């Protein structure tokens, strides 16, 4: 589920389809995209892979869409076989028939359904039901929502694989050596915390904040810093405090740090940076990055409480401003530790 853009007209299919990459954060391929319509504008957007079992799983998608209580839904089927495959057209129609039936159970209308061969210059769309409507896809790079995404500090990716690469594990390092180094460091850290829990946590938070500043300045982290940060984030006091950075003026640099740690740390230590990255992305409305980060975190640690909570919130379309409220705990923890965090930033209220 992605963020919402209220001020966008949905009466031009070519423009609506061109806006999808800016909302998702990447250009979907071989996908079913559901766009909810709210007050005549573009609401939440949900994407799933086209697959033989998609029809059986439609009820789960409808539950997510229904949580938004939209006026209607527009379906966009991205299939590079397009009109060149008559059998595919029959499959598309069958999928939309099943979608209509599933939506009707929630009292939601399928306003329109389009098939597009690819979302980009030269892409073409046509209606699923053979009504004769067809046209060209507008340039996604010229979409008003693409400009809005850039202004919001979001990076747009060519494919979902490119987005997943942001947090993909770096296999060039020797994971066993890092694992041994972090385990040894944690043993030392646990002794420090036993002697002075608050003091150790304060020093670790300050070290993490210093690393955020260094990353913002373009510095590369040495392996010893990676090890120290991986061990520090295993401490709940440190981790809880760092969630507040997601709503501070250093949030962007912190995301770069969390992504770096997620790539370079071995499991299980990479889980905490993944969840911190997901929280920060979610807080600023970047559902796609939050989603892939949580997917990887839960793959590594299926029972991780914060990852599970954020994943449930994302799939139930909880708004970013509601998620930001969780950062208050981080500010309280920082005050208890005597740490000064970066000032809170203001968020664009246009995208919620």
């Amino acid at each position: 589920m992605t963020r919402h853009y209220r001020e966008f007209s949905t009466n031009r299919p070519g423009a609506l389809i061109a806006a999808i990459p800016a909302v998702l954060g990447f250009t979907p391929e071989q996908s079913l995209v559901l766009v909810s319509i709210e007050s005549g504008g573009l609401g939440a957007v949900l994407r799933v892979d086209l697959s033989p079992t998609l029809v059986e799983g439609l009820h789960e998608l409808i539950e997510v869409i229904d949580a938004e209580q939209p006026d209607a839904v527009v379906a966009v089927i991205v299939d590079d076989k397009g009109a060149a495959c008559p059998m595919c057209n029959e499959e598309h129609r069958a999928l939309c028939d099943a979608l209509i039936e599933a939506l009707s159970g929630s009292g939601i209308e399928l306003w329109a359904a389009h098939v597009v061969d690819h979302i980009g210059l030269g892409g073409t769309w046509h209606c699923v039901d053979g009504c004769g409507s067809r046209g060209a896809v507008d340039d996604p790079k010229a979409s008003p929502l693409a400009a809005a995404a850039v202004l919001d500090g979001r990076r747009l990716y060519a494919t979902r694989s490119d987005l997943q690469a942001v947090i993909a594990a770096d296999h060039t390092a020797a994971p066993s050596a890092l694992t041994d180094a972090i385990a040894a460091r944690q043993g030392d850290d646990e002794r420090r915390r036993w002697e002075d829990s608050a003091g150790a946590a304060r020093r670790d938070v300050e070290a993490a904040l210093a690393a955020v500043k260094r990353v913002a300045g373009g510095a590369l982290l040495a392996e010893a810093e990676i090890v120290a940060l991986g061990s520090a984030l295993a401490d709940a006091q440190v981790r809880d405090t760092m969630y507040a950075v997601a709503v501070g003026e250093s949030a962007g640099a912190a995301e770069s740090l969390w992504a770096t740690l997620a790539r370079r740390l071995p499991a299980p230590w990479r889980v905490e940076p993944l969840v911190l990255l997901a929280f920060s992305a979610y807080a600023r409305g970047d559902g796609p990055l939050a989603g892939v980060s949580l997917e990887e975190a839960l793959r590594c640690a299926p029972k991780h409480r914060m990852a599970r909570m954020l994943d449930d919130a994302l799939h139930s379309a909880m708004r970013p401003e509601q998620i930001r409220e969780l950062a208050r705990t981080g500010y309280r923890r920082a005050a208890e530790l005597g740490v000064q965090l970066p000032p809170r930033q203001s968020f664009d209220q246009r995208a919620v």
Side-chain angles (χ1 to χ4, degrees):
M1 182 70 71
T2 68
R3 65 193 299 174
H4 300 230
Y5 292 85
R6 303 297 184 190
E7 299 175 5
F8 186 82
S9 174
T10 58
N11 60 3
R12 292 182 53 239
L16 183 147
I17 294 169
I20 288 173
V23 182
L24 288 179
F26 60 92
T27 302
E29 300 172 336
Q30 302 304 112
S31 301
L32 169 66
V33 181
L34 300 182
V35 180
S36 67
I37 306 301
E38 301 176 19
S39 302
L42 183 67
V45 178
L46 186 67
R47 186 215 70 90
V48 291
D49 291 332
L50 294 178
S51 71
T53 60
L54 177 54
V55 170
E56 287 80 359
L58 282 178
H59 66 281
E60 296 179 5
L61 302 180
I62 304 310
E63 286 180 0
V64 177
I65 287 289
D66 190 35
E68 289 293 292
Q69 298 184 329
D71 302 326
V73 167
V74 172
V76 177
I77 300 172
V78 187
D79 187 348
D80 59 11
K81 300 182 183 66
C85 172
M87 181 61 70
C88 295
N89 287 331
E90 291 300 322
E91 292 174 355
H92 298 154
R93 281 192 283 269
L95 173 58
C96 286
D97 287 343
L99 184 58
I100 290 171
E101 182 177 352
L103 286 168
S104 65
S106 296
I108 303 172
E109 176 188 3
L110 182 63
W111 193 354
H114 311 294
V115 177
V116 59
D117 52 2
H118 72 277
I119 302 178
L121 283 175
T124 59
W125 62 270
H126 65 270
C127 63
V128 172
D129 60 7
C131 68
S133 294
R134 60 182 59 246
V137 178
D138 291 4
D139 183 359
K141 294 180 181 178
S143 168
L145 296 192
V150 172
L151 288 174
D152 285 346
R154 289 181 57 202
R155 179 179 172 185
L156 304 182
Y157 297 86
T159 66
R160 191 168 188 269
S161 296
D162 292 335
L163 175 61
Q164 291 171 318
V166 173
I167 48 90
D170 181 359
H171 295 295
T172 60
S176 59
L178 273 176
T179 297
D180 292 344
I182 298 171
R185 173 69 186 233
Q186 270 197 291
D188 293 338
D189 286 348
E190 286 173 3
R191 283 190 291 273
R192 290 192 300 113
R193 291 164 190 154
W194 177 263
E195 296 170 358
D196 182 9
S197 176
R202 180 174 59 255
R203 289 188 289 273
D204 284 340
V205 169
E206 290 172 344
L209 292 173
V212 169
K213 288 183 179 180
R214 293 187 64 244
V215 168
L220 298 177
L221 297 180
E223 183 173 299
E225 291 177 280
I226 298 290
V227 169
L229 289 166
S231 175
L233 292 176
D235 181 359
Q237 293 185 92
V238 177
R239 186 170 64 246
D240 290 350
T241 303
M242 297 312 294
Y243 280 110
V245 180
V247 298
E249 293 179 356
S250 300
E255 284 192 25
S256 296
L257 175 61
W258 308 144
T260 298
L261 294 176
R263 290 191 299 269
R264 294 184 60 181
L265 285 170
W269 293 281
R270 67 188 304 255
V271 172
E272 300 305 342
L274 281 167
V275 180
L276 282 164
L277 176 60
F279 179 79
S280 187
Y282 197 158
R284 64 179 173 81
D286 192 341
L289 180 56
V292 297
S293 301
L294 290 170
E295 180 181 348
E296 181 65 9
L298 289 169
R299 186 190 67 80
C300 296
K303 296 183 179 180
H304 192 286
R305 292 180 61 185
M306 187 63 164
R308 180 61 60 192
M309 186 201 72
L310 289 173
D311 190 61
D312 289 344
L314 191 65
H315 283 87
S316 63
M318 184 177 289
R319 303 296 176 85
E321 65 266 26
Q322 294 173 281
I323 291 298
R324 291 173 206 146
E325 291 301 307
L326 297 176
R328 292 181 182 274
T329 299
Y331 279 100
R332 287 197 298 270
R333 183 72 75 180
E336 293 168 359
L337 295 175
V339 176
Q340 182 68 42
L341 294 178
R344 288 180 70 103
Q345 62 174 310
S346 60
F347 286 86
D348 184 355
Q349 296 303 310
R350 173 191 44 153
V352 296

